[in-house]
């Protein structure tokens, strides 16, 4: 189970070695990816400075993504070391006045908060998934995408459609005129 009672962590620390399941990491209804079988979380939890919990270990998982160019499914592997600190979230310690720009320090990148007396490692794993998934989801760097006319996957060969004729956008006619005048 990935929900840990803070009070049950012994002074010498605690080992966690669990298989990842969609329900345990809160991704059962996630639309942007699927959690493939075979993922695992292996980590050690230690209490430091009273209620601070240090999580050190390894996260390994496969996420099923859809390519942004060819729309085909592909496997994205996550294989990363974890070194995070969890502090208790105290009621009344609301964030100070929000500013337009916030600068994150190195410490902010490894510190998170837990509520009550439980630490949900599944929520931590879910967060790591979202941080790891690339913004530009490509099955491979040289993915050729799909034909705009017939929808054929160009990674599997050409489709035989005539090359698209480039009709200039009439809204850009003024810019084209300026560019042509500047090249003389």
């Amino acid at each position: 189970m990935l929900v840990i009672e803070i009070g049950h962590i012994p002074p010498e620390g605690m080992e966690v070695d669990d298989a990842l399941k969609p329900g345990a990491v809160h991704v059962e209804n996630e639309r942007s990816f699927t959690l493939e079988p075979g993922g695992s979380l292996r980590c050690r939890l230690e209490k430091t400075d009273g209620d601070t919990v240090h999580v050190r270990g390894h996260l390994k998982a496969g996420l099923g993504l859809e390519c942004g160019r060819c729309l085909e499914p592909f496997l994205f592997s996550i294989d990363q070391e974890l070194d995070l600190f969890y502090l208790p979230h105290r009621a009344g310690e609301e964030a100070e006045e929000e500013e337009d720009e916030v600068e994150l320090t190195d410490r902010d990148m490894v510190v998170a908060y837990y509520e009550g007396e439980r630490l949900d490692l599944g929520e931590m794993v879910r967060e790591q998934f979202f941080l790891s998934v690339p913004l530009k989801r490509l099955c491979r760097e040289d993915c050729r995408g799909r034909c705009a006319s017939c929808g054929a996957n160009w990674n599997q060969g050409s489709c035989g459609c005539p090359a698209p004729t480039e009709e200039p956008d009439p809204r850009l006619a003024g810019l084209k005129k300026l560019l042509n005048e500047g090249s003389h």
Side-chain angles (χ1 to χ4, degrees), residues 11-156:
E12 66 275 7
M14 170 182 192
E15 298 292 328
V16 173
D17 186 356
D18 271 339
L20 300 179
K21 294 178 179 71
V25 295
H26 314 290
V27 295
E28 60 272 355
N29 295 318
E30 183 56 45
R31 293 182 184 174
S32 61
F33 61 82
T34 58
L35 175 61
E36 300 298 318
S40 65
L41 172 65
R42 290 184 175 93
C43 62
R44 178 169 183 76
L45 281 69
E46 295 175 339
K47 283 174 53 173
T48 60
D49 300 330
D51 293 333
T52 301
V53 179
H54 188 191
V55 179
R56 250 188 315 218
H58 195 83
L59 173 63
K60 190 170 188 172
L63 301 182
L65 300 177
E66 182 179 272
C67 180
R69 286 187 189 153
C70 70
L71 307 178
E72 294 293 326
F74 71 98
L75 182 68
F76 178 76
S77 295
I78 296 175
D79 192 356
Q80 67 185 41
E81 297 297 318
L82 301 172
D83 192 2
L84 305 166
F85 291 89
Y86 283 84
L87 306 172
H89 177 38
R90 309 231 190 268
E93 286 185 14
E94 296 303 319
E96 294 180 17
E97 300 218 10
E98 291 189 31
E99 299 177 18
D100 291 340
E101 290 186 33
V102 176
E103 185 175 328
L104 295 175
T105 64
D106 288 341
R107 181 181 183 274
D108 293 327
M109 301 303 286
V110 297
V111 172
Y113 297 90
Y114 64 87
E115 297 226 15
E117 292 299 313
R118 292 181 173 179
L119 174 59
D120 188 347
L121 294 177
E123 189 61 39
M124 179 265 306
V125 169
R126 179 179 185 270
E127 182 178 285
Q128 294 303 311
F129 288 167
F130 280 106
L131 291 171
S132 299
V133 170
L135 291 175
K136 191 176 193 179
R137 299 173 183 195
L138 298 177
C139 59
R140 61 184 202 224
E141 197 61 39
D142 64 341
C143 177
R144 296 178 59 211
R146 291 190 172 269
C147 175
S149 298
C150 71
N153 186 340
W154 284 338
N155 294 320
Q156 298 169 355

